[in-house]
Amino acid sequence: MDLFLVALSLVALGGLGSLIPRRARPWEFAVGSGLMILGCAVGLVPAIQVLCGSPAASLQLPWGVPGGEMKLAIDPLSALFLLLHFIVSGAAVTFGIPYFERYAKEYSLKYAQFFLSALIISLALLFTAQNAILFLVSWEMMSLSVFFLVIFEDRNEKVQKAGILNLIMTHTATLCLFAAFLLLGRAAGSFSFSEMTGNAALVYVGAPIFLLSLTGFGIKAGFMPLHIWLQEAHPAAPSPVSALMSGVVIKSGIYGLVRVISFFPSFPAWWGVVLVMIGTTSGILGVVWALAQHDFKRLLAYHSIENIGIIALGLGFGCLGLSLHHPVVAVLGLAGGLWHVLNHGLFKSLLFLGAGSVFQATGSREMDQMGGLWKRMPWTGLCVLIGSVAICGLPPLNGFVSEWLIYNASFNLGLRYGSFYFLLGVPVLALIGALAAACFTKAFGVQFLGNPRSQAAAEARESGPLMLVPMGLLAGCCAWIGLF
């Protein structure tokens, strides 16, 4: 926990420089970003240690809030999300150093740096909070930071509308979570997660808690039909922010849902069926709507909904395995769902950074105006190609690994309990994969192959090392997980 606190302190220090009441100089923005990157690197160490078998670490500090408790802990579930968080955040901040330069004359870079720092800290606290009050405070910090980052280009009317919609949906989610944690705290007699975990009294109020949590966390995750903010916020936000939002922020909804479900000593099978149905709907409709898009970032936003559907499928099969006392299905489903959290965070962040690199070079996100970028931006093209293959679930990259586990969960459940569960999983995943392959064949081919269809595409130049290195790191992670 000492290293974890050092990491948060470095990130905070990187954002505090933005409070100096004068316009930021470029070197000050770079130094602040460097401190944030160093903090992310330090934060990886305790996450990796816990995932490699070290005992869960905890820390308790005095906090005079009624019912609150400043208790933080890194257990294996927290460590998985922290690992993803610090990798993606470090890559996004590095990419943002040259990316935000184009806005220096018109917008305040200190504004962006402060809220990026606040977002990184709030997410880290959210993943380690061991008290409902602290969790909700971290959730609100995260939500407000995302709102201010989405409206960074606040002179654009579409950006303003996207920010307001995001704020409305986020606080609708917060209201649901307040009610869910109130029921949890009342049943357990405490707002401490340790008191809630395994408490038999929770079983009697399980249904309302599950439905409230599913709604609150589902809004943030982007479950259909609660997804309406997501496809508006991503095109409005700067590309490094979109990478962080899709890679980590929407995963906070998955983390919260898994954490709440883990409190219950037992739960009915219909919880799993609901998650599987949500996953089926989100996965298929997300990829179908993505096929119709011409804005690359909007296309990626709909693919976030699709992949959140795949994660929900895995978690649903895992819950069914636990409810029906089928440990093989439980392990395959939960492992596939949680592994896809990590995999999606890596390849989707890579694709959003790739979109940012193309935007930096051409000034446009419209795919129809591109063409021939492979010759002019070969390294960006290679990274986008790796991300495209990974998101389609094709071997030998990481998207295939987690989807194959979910396929196996569906196979095993169908063999034991009938073809209904088989039909809920295997054909759905196959259809999603086929449509995703069609979508990214179009998206990559239209942008990077053929001849330029605009003057901006014909004059595009490859991005600099501070953009290419984080993309290369994420692409390397996708390949390493898939191969090894």
Side-chain angles (χ1 to χ4, degrees):
M1 293 305 292
D2 291 340
L3 281 174
F4 180 72
L5 293 179
V6 169
L8 296 192
S9 300
L10 287 168
V11 174
L13 194 59
L16 285 177
S18 60
L19 298 178
I20 300 172
R22 57 177 172 78
R23 196 167 188 84
R25 299 183 179 93
W27 68 266
E28 292 175 336
F29 183 78
V31 169
S33 298
L35 287 169
M36 292 162 66
I37 295 164
L38 180 60
C40 291
V42 173
L44 284 173
V45 177
I48 293 171
Q49 287 176 332
V50 172
L51 286 173
C52 289
S54 296
S58 62
L59 172 73
Q60 187 161 354
L61 301 171
W63 198 35
V65 175
E69 184 182 30
M70 183 62 79
K71 185 176 181 182
L72 307 173
I74 303 177
D75 60 12
L77 181 62
S78 299
L80 177 68
F81 283 83
L82 285 175
L83 177 70
L84 173 64
H85 172 39
F86 285 126
I87 290 174
V88 172
S89 297
V93 173
T94 305
F95 187 93
I97 296 173
Y99 183 88
F100 280 109
E101 283 182 7
R102 67 183 292 139
Y103 300 99
K105 294 181 180 179
E106 194 173 358
Y107 296 97
S108 171
L109 299 188
K110 295 195 295 185
Y111 172 100
Q113 193 162 64
F114 176 79
F115 286 109
L116 270 174
S117 171
L119 178 58
I120 293 170
I121 292 170
S122 60
L123 281 165
L125 292 175
L126 182 76
F127 294 145
T128 54
Q130 295 295 301
N131 177 273
I133 306 298
L134 178 59
F135 182 94
L136 290 170
V137 169
S138 304
W139 181 273
E140 186 65 10
M141 285 174 56
M142 172 194 69
S143 301
L144 291 175
S145 299
V146 168
F147 166 71
F148 285 112
L149 288 168
V150 166
I151 63 165
F152 177 71
E153 297 181 67
D154 58 353
R155 297 168 196 174
N156 185 319
E157 187 177 346
K158 289 184 178 180
V159 170
Q160 294 173 10
K161 290 181 179 179
I164 295 299
L165 179 60
N166 171 61
L167 196 65
I168 291 170
M169 294 302 293
T170 291
H171 284 86
T172 302
T174 304
L175 285 173
C176 294
L177 297 184
F178 265 109
F181 279 113
L182 185 63
L183 289 173
L184 280 166
R186 186 172 181 180
S190 171
F191 287 117
S192 172
F193 287 178
S194 60
E195 294 294 324
M196 294 177 185
T197 303
N199 194 315
L202 300 186
V203 175
Y204 300 105
V205 287
I209 290 172
F210 174 71
L211 294 175
L212 285 167
S213 300
L214 189 65
T215 304
F217 291 124
I219 289 173
K220 181 61 69 179
F223 290 159
M224 284 192 177
L226 308 172
H227 67 287
I228 59 172
W229 67 274
L230 198 147
Q231 72 273 14
E232 304 299 330
H234 279 305
S239 289
V241 176
S242 295
L244 193 49
M245 285 169 57
S246 185
V248 187
V249 171
I250 65 173
K251 305 305 190 306
S252 65
I254 300 296
Y255 170 80
L257 185 61
V258 174
R259 180 64 75 183
V260 167
I261 290 174
S262 74
F263 294 154
F264 289 84
S266 62
F267 45 82
W270 68 263
W271 289 19
V273 173
V274 168
L275 282 171
V276 169
M277 297 302 293
I278 288 173
T280 300
T281 305
S282 299
I284 294 175
L285 293 182
V287 72
V288 167
W289 279 334
L291 277 163
Q293 305 306 314
H294 298 276
D295 181 317
F296 191 35
K297 286 184 70 178
R298 197 174 181 88
L299 177 147
L300 293 176
Y302 276 111
H303 273 286
S304 290
I305 297 169
E306 170 230 322
N307 279 274
I308 285 294
I310 293 173
I311 292 167
L313 271 174
L315 298 181
F317 286 130
C319 288
L320 279 168
L322 291 171
S323 299
L324 300 173
H325 306 291
H326 195 321
V328 173
V329 172
V331 169
L332 288 170
L334 292 174
L338 292 174
W339 199 230
H340 204 68
V341 166
L342 178 64
N343 289 337
H344 175 253
L346 294 172
F347 59 64
K348 184 51 70 64
S349 301
L350 169 61
L351 288 167
F352 269 115
L353 295 185
S357 179
V358 170
F359 177 71
Q360 189 82 343
T362 64
S364 175
R365 297 193 305 264
E366 290 295 322
M367 295 185 290
D368 296 339
Q369 297 179 16
M370 305 301 173
L373 292 181
W374 183 275
K375 295 178 181 178
R376 293 158 184 82
M377 306 178 69
W379 294 110
T380 295
L382 178 62
C383 289
V384 172
L385 179 61
I386 290 172
S388 300
V389 174
I391 199 172
C392 295
L394 299 174
L397 298 176
N398 61 340
F400 169 77
V401 180
S402 43
E403 289 191 32
W404 179 242
L405 291 172
I406 300 171
Y407 269 114
N408 275 279
S410 179
F411 272 120
N412 279 274
L413 200 61
L415 288 171
R416 175 73 71 87
Y417 296 103
S419 59
F420 172 73
Y421 295 110
F422 173 85
L423 292 173
L424 276 179
V426 175
V428 169
L429 284 170
L431 178 60
I432 291 171
L435 292 174
C439 186
F440 277 93
T441 299
K442 179 195 81 168
F444 182 82
V446 166
Q447 293 183 92
F448 289 93
L449 305 181
N451 295 315
R453 289 183 294 279
S454 67
Q455 190 66 24
E459 296 175 354
R461 294 291 180 269
E462 183 61 276
S463 300
L466 284 177
M467 286 187 168
L468 294 177
V469 167
M471 287 194 292
L473 171 68
L474 294 172
C477 289
C478 292
W480 186 82
I481 290 173
L483 290 169
F484 295 102

